[in-house]
Amino acid sequence: MSARVLVVDDLFPNLKLLETKLTLEYFDVVTAMNGPDALAVCEKGLCDIVLLDVMMPGMDGFEVCRRIKGTPTTAHLPVVMVTALDQPSDRLRGLDAGADDFLTKPIDDVALLARVRSLVRLKAITDELRGRAMASRDYGFGDPLAAAAAETGLDASILVVEDRRSSADRLATALGQYHRVTIETDPHKAVARASEGEYDAAIVSLDLDGVDGLRLCSQLRSLDRTRNMPVVMLADPGDRARIMRGLDLGVHDYLMRPIDRNELVARVRTQVRRKRFAHSLRESVQASMELAVTDGLTGLHNRRYLDSHLAGVFAEPALRGRPVSLLLLDIDRFKSINDRFGHDAGDEVLRDFADRIRAHTRGIDVVARFGGEEIVVVVPDTGLDGARQVAERIRERVETVPFAIHRGTRSVDVTVSIGVATRQPGDTSALDLLKRADTALYRAKEDGRNRVVAAAA
């Protein structure tokens, strides 16, 4: 997997060494020799991952990392701190700054490439989401990246798969201060438990009795219910080969025994933050997609969705031969409601009107706001008589129960006229069906309103 790697180091020989290693593996390499230049590269979107030296004059690597992770437009970039420091306190400081991992000098080539490929793969998952989520700003959601980047990574639900009770208890004690921890000592039940629960992350020991911990990690990464859940491996120093294999399989992170309590907490928090970041972007995308086909006032489908749905009804061979009817509803003298009681009252009437229509239609029926106070109901697998009965039930419900306005302090009587049409053999498009329903609606208005009129066959 190719990617653009930003290498940041104030020493030119170190810079060239990493650049050469990565270039030989077909990565595109960008370099910077100080913090401000590195931040400029990140802000311009010129890299996919950052390899960041810690010990630099002026702005050190911790501060650079903190600024990258604290800026909404760059918070998604994976940062690997590259340092000669190898104390738990140094790793903790970097993780607190938001670093995704550490590489200790002299850098092991296998570890370097495994970590870069793993983080690039994870970043690729969120990149498309980020692009789509930015469109949600057009629908008034604000900046989804800022909201996602503000995530703390605390109060998460964590599953620990460890069959050594003493080790499991130590993990639960360390994480329990910040998260809700579930211990699963039976590795055979771990996948089912993870699938049934809503966990923010899983910690899996590779040294399980009678079970390949790496295979368990692989299963968690492949199942639909757990695919987006971060997985952290617990490994012994002699498990280096399996750690590299796990990263290739898509496992998110690892911890080496003996486990430092603070590093455990920091790494889990990093994974939870990343998972919630992606989840926030997915929700933003989903919300914008829903708004693209939803009327903001009534919550019904909008004209765009209606046109697409009707086009499918007339275009798909499996649907062309099946009956379909259409109701076109229009509130009688709606303008007078706005004029007498105000547009806020008119909006209240429209929302209630939409709710009453929904209450008298089926889940398979499509209810859409056609424009103004007009609403269309598409009734599949229903002939003219059946559609007329549906329309009459709606008309009666509208007429017999007054509409509350001004937040329930007043009420107003409302009636509706409805035109009904059903698809005919000669119809070539939805426009033919809509025209007949509109003609029937016009007749209902002309005949005195508050009535249902069916189009002639």
Side-chain angles (χ1 to χ4, degrees), residues 29 91 106 153 156 250 252 274 324 326 346 413 417:
V29 179
R91 291 197 300 272
H252 299 75
R274 182 186 291 152
V324 60
L326 186 143
D413 292 327
S417 299

Side-chain angles (χ1 to χ4, degrees), residues 28-51:
D28 294 327
V29 179
V30 184
T31 61
M33 298 188 70
N34 57 66
D37 287 349
L39 292 173
V41 172
C42 294
E43 288 166 1
K44 292 176 183 176
L46 300 178
C47 62
D48 296 305
I49 185 171
V50 183
L51 297 184

Side-chain angles (χ1 to χ4, degrees), residues 268-428:
V268 169
R269 189 178 66 215
T270 295
Q271 293 304 321
V272 171
R273 268 202 308 255
R274 182 186 291 152
K275 188 247 188 184
R276 290 178 175 172
F277 180 91
H279 179 70
S280 177
L281 295 182
R282 288 189 189 94
E283 286 193 328
S284 180
V285 171
Q286 182 63 32
S288 63
M289 289 174 63
E290 289 177 358
L291 279 181
V293 295
T294 303
D295 175 62
L297 176 63
T298 63
L300 300 176
H301 293 301
N302 60 15
R303 177 68 180 271
R304 176 185 299 168
Y305 181 89
L306 175 67
D307 290 343
S308 175
H309 177 78
L310 285 174
V313 168
F314 278 80
E316 295 180 24
L319 300 177
R320 282 202 298 262
R322 295 165 62 178
V324 60
S325 295
L326 186 143
L327 283 56
L328 182 56
L329 306 90
D330 185 72
I331 296 175
D332 295 327
R333 298 186 174 90
F334 183 71
K335 183 178 183 300
S336 68
I337 297 175
N338 283 328
D339 293 342
R340 290 173 59 198
F341 303 106
H343 287 278
D344 287 346
D347 288 347
E348 289 178 287
V349 169
L350 278 173
R351 283 191 288 266
D352 193 353
F353 183 50
D355 290 341
R356 297 188 193 196
I357 295 172
R358 270 192 292 247
H360 287 81
T361 52
R362 304 167 299 175
I364 62 171
D365 300 334
V366 172
V367 185
R369 188 177 179 188
F370 195 60
E373 66 274 18
E374 289 187 333
I375 289 177
V376 167
V377 181
V378 182
V379 192
D381 299 323
T382 304
L384 194 62
D385 289 341
R388 185 160 44 195
Q389 292 174 20
V390 173
E392 188 60 37
R393 286 197 298 269
I394 295 172
R395 188 203 64 77
E396 289 178 1
R397 178 64 177 172
V398 170
E399 179 189 23
T400 56
V401 181
F403 284 63
I405 59 173
H406 296 166
R407 299 183 179 180
T409 61
R410 301 185 66 175
S411 63
V412 59
D413 292 327
V414 176
T415 61
V416 61
S417 299
I418 307 174
V420 182
T422 192
R423 177 163 54 185
Q424 300 298 321
D427 291 345
T428 58

Side-chain angles (χ1 to χ4, degrees), residues 160-179:
V160 175
V161 185
E162 170 63 276
D163 54 7
R164 288 184 285 184
R165 193 74 227 188
S166 58
S167 175
D169 290 343
R170 286 194 297 271
L171 293 169
T173 300
L175 293 170
Q177 300 178 58
Y178 310 97
H179 308 288

Side-chain angles (χ1 to χ4, degrees), residues 25 90 115 180 245 356 376 383 435 438 444:
E25 295 296 325
D90 299 319
R115 175 48 70 191
R180 289 162 278 112
R245 179 61 176 153
R356 297 188 193 196
V376 167
K435 282 182 177 178
D438 188 52

Side-chain angles (χ1 to χ4, degrees), residues 239-250:
D239 277 334
R240 180 173 170 276
R242 286 206 294 169
I243 291 171
M244 297 302 113
R245 179 61 176 153
L247 293 175
D248 284 341
L249 290 172

